[in-house]
Amino acid sequence: MDTRLPLPIAARRTAGPFEWRPAVNGVGDGAYLREPIRVRALHFPYQFWSNQLTSRLCLSTLIGMPRQHIRREAVSDQLFALLRDRILGGELPPGSALTAERDLAGEFGVNRHAVREAVKRLQQARLVEVSHGGRTLVLDWRRTAGLDLAVGIAAADSGPSVEDLARDALEMRACIGADAARLCALRCSEEAAADIVEAAGRYTRSGPDLAELSAADIIWWRLIVEGSGNVAYLLAFNSLVDGALPVADVPDDLRTAELLDVDAHVRLAAHIAAREAGTAERLARELLSRSVPATPRKAVH
């Protein structure tokens, strides 16, 4: 016997900014889920532009997606994404109460277990918290959320633009790389310093193919970040290398200005080996800042 809920009549006439999709492969099968059409993050191979701390060729881009068949994921995952977007977009402002579990289940035609799982993930992302009175309150994500929310911010209908997030990520990589170079000069062993100098030598023999330079650059920067002895920097480095942050295209002239400056790579390695921490920091910041777009960011209120 087919227990699927009938598609709402209004949804048959028009999807508007939303679309109704049948839920499959997860809790709540047999229901329809009302989901906004929004920008999604997809991965495409070799876009030939650099955005990472290591100038790796990025595989991520953001595009507008038309209506399509439902993604094969749990209903609770989709409900989490929708509620997350409402919070990031300001539809559910900080301090407001999250819609009651029963009402959410009725609104989206899913069971309450799926709602509980979605709310649990919102709590884990530090987007909501359960108050002493039992109500679930929306938090100010700018004060509570972590870096792992960056992709969600880019996918939301409002909030920071993809371009602003790209610039933010590139500014972060320049700051992390510069301080990692400084700390590496102060902390790394003689053996680690020799490895960094040797890797810079290999870099001079790489290219001019940008993919080959990028691979050598990743190896070189990993040695520097590991040599800094800062675990937080290393974890941020891994996130940047893996493309965990949403980014927009970096102009070719900015990308090549960084990757093709072989001399700067060699000099930076030499400064680290000579324990010249201040000089290493300045050169690393100058090198990595070349990929930061010059377009000014909107004023922060």
Side-chain angles (χ1 to χ4, degrees), residues 2-290:
D2 187 0
T3 59
R4 182 182 297 274
L5 297 179
L7 185 64
I9 299 298
R12 297 175 189 165
R13 292 196 296 266
T14 177
F18 292 85
E19 52 189 332
W20 290 86
R21 296 173 172 180
V24 295
N25 287 1
V27 176
D29 283 357
Y32 282 92
L33 185 64
R34 183 171 179 260
E35 180 175 303
I37 301 172
R38 61 181 185 277
V39 175
R40 309 189 197 284
L42 295 182
H43 293 274
F44 295 92
Y46 300 108
Q47 294 297 316
F48 294 102
W49 47 271
S50 166
N51 71 296
Q52 315 299 28
L53 177 65
T54 59
S55 298
R56 177 186 180 182
L57 299 183
C58 182
L59 306 182
S60 176
T61 187
L62 288 162
I63 63 173
M65 293 291 293
R67 283 182 54 178
Q68 59 184 21
H69 293 297
I70 191 167
R71 303 179 306 283
R72 291 188 174 273
E73 60 185 7
V75 171
S76 60
D77 292 341
Q78 298 181 61
L79 186 55
F80 162 76
L82 192 148
L83 294 174
R84 176 202 63 198
D85 292 354
R86 287 184 177 182
I87 293 172
L88 297 179
E91 185 177 345
L92 292 171
S96 64
L98 188 68
T99 307
E101 180 182 296
R102 181 177 58 185
D103 294 335
L104 286 173
E107 178 182 356
F108 298 110
V110 299
N111 62 45
R112 295 178 69 169
H113 177 75
V115 175
R116 281 193 292 271
E117 288 297 314
V119 173
K120 181 179 179 181
R121 289 190 58 190
L122 292 175
Q123 288 181 274
Q124 293 170 341
R126 296 294 298 151
L127 294 176
V128 301
E129 68 176 357
V130 179
S131 66
H132 293 299
R135 292 195 308 165
T136 301
L137 300 178
V138 176
L139 297 174
D140 184 348
W141 62 266
R142 295 180 182 274
R143 294 177 177 269
T144 60
L147 191 60
D148 56 331
L149 197 66
V151 172
I153 295 174
D157 292 333
S158 59
S161 67
V162 175
E163 291 75 17
D164 282 346
L165 285 169
R167 189 182 303 104
D168 292 346
L170 293 169
E171 289 174 348
M172 185 182 76
R173 78 191 265 270
C175 291
I176 291 176
D179 199 52
R182 177 186 69 84
L183 292 176
C184 186
L186 294 173
R187 298 174 176 174
C188 75
S189 66
E190 293 299 325
E191 181 181 359
D195 289 341
I196 291 169
V197 172
E198 182 182 352
R202 289 196 298 271
Y203 191 82
T204 65
R205 299 187 292 275
S206 302
D209 178 72
L210 292 179
E212 185 179 351
L213 280 173
S214 175
D217 199 34
I218 289 173
I219 295 172
W220 184 67
W221 269 110
R222 182 171 294 281
L223 291 172
I224 294 174
V225 177
E226 289 177 346
S228 74
N230 188 305
V231 174
Y233 285 174
L234 182 59
L235 296 177
F237 172 88
N238 291 338
S239 294
L240 288 163
V241 168
D242 290 339
L245 296 179
V247 292
D249 290 319
V250 176
D252 287 343
D253 58 337
L254 299 183
R255 171 177 56 82
T256 55
E258 179 184 326
L259 273 182
L260 297 181
D261 193 344
V262 176
D263 180 65
H265 287 71
V266 173
R267 288 187 290 117
L268 178 53
H271 290 313
I272 290 174
R275 309 300 178 179
E276 297 169 347
T279 306
E281 179 183 14
R282 288 190 294 273
L283 180 56
R285 187 179 301 277
E286 191 277 331
L287 178 63
L288 294 172
S289 294
R290 295 180 186 179

